[in-house]
Amino acid sequence: ALRRMPKDHLATTVFELKGEAGGFKALVKEIQYDPTSYQIIHLDLLKLSDQDVIVKVPIVCTGMADCAGIKLGGVLRQVRRYVRVKCQPKNIPAHFEVDVKDLNIFQSKRLKDVNISKNVVPLDALEEVAVVISKR
């Protein structure tokens, strides 16, 4: 299941685990890999309850095909790949989208331009640059 997951979405994926004593929901907290074969050796899970959790939510860029800055020879640089947020487990977003189609060369979008729901509290500074269109 981990290998089929979209890149950078592991931290926000809630797993339902079932055992003899019943089931519970959990997030993957840490993964340990074998250094030579890259096989998973150990998973640390965080059991979810009604308490807030802190997770890293990935930022996904959209509108790159229509971006004026890229059409003029610019390159999209994703400065931030995720936003740390605090929220209830039921409100964990899968990802945040940043639409870059209206950006020109040397223009950027900041974390404050990301559409974050009111149930989610961002822990990173909202003035930080998320993406920028730079020159080659």
Side-chain angles (χ1 to χ4, degrees):
L2 296 176
R3 300 224 188 267
R4 291 188 304 269
M5 192 169 300
K7 183 181 177 188
D8 297 332
H9 282 69
L10 179 62
T12 59
T13 302
V14 177
F15 292 93
E16 178 130 8
L17 304 173
K18 296 181 182 178
E20 297 173 5
F24 61 91
K25 293 183 179 187
L27 288 171
V28 174
K29 187 174 177 182
E30 182 181 355
I31 301 178
Q32 294 176 359
Y33 295 97
D34 180 270
T36 57
S37 67
Y38 208 60
Q39 294 293 319
I40 296 173
I41 297 173
H42 179 77
L43 284 174
D44 278 339
L45 300 171
L46 173 65
K47 184 177 180 180
L48 297 177
S49 62
D50 290 336
Q51 295 180 345
D52 287 351
V53 293
I54 296 174
V55 293
K56 294 178 181 178
V57 179
I59 297 173
V60 176
C61 296
T62 60
M64 292 177 288
D66 299 324
C67 179
I70 292 175
K71 288 180 179 179
L72 292 172
V75 178
L76 174 74
R77 289 199 52 233
Q78 190 167 349
V79 179
R80 293 294 308 262
R81 301 236 176 248
Y82 63 86
V83 180
R84 283 182 341 114
V85 299
K86 182 177 181 180
C87 63
Q88 288 284 311
K90 64 183 178 188
N91 296 326
I92 297 174
H95 63 273
F96 294 124
E97 288 187 5
V98 175
D99 189 6
V100 297
K101 70 180 175 192
D102 59 342
L103 294 181
N104 213 328
I105 294 178
F106 301 121
Q107 289 184 328
S108 63
K109 291 229 175 170
R110 299 183 182 278
L111 292 180
K112 67 181 178 183
D113 299 322
V114 175
N115 187 14
I116 299 175
S117 99
K118 61 183 176 188
N119 299 329
V120 177
V121 178
L123 300 176
D124 295 325
L126 295 179
E127 290 299 319
E128 290 187 42
V129 173
V131 295
V132 64
I133 305 296
S134 62
K135 221 165 181 164
R136 291 185 192 251

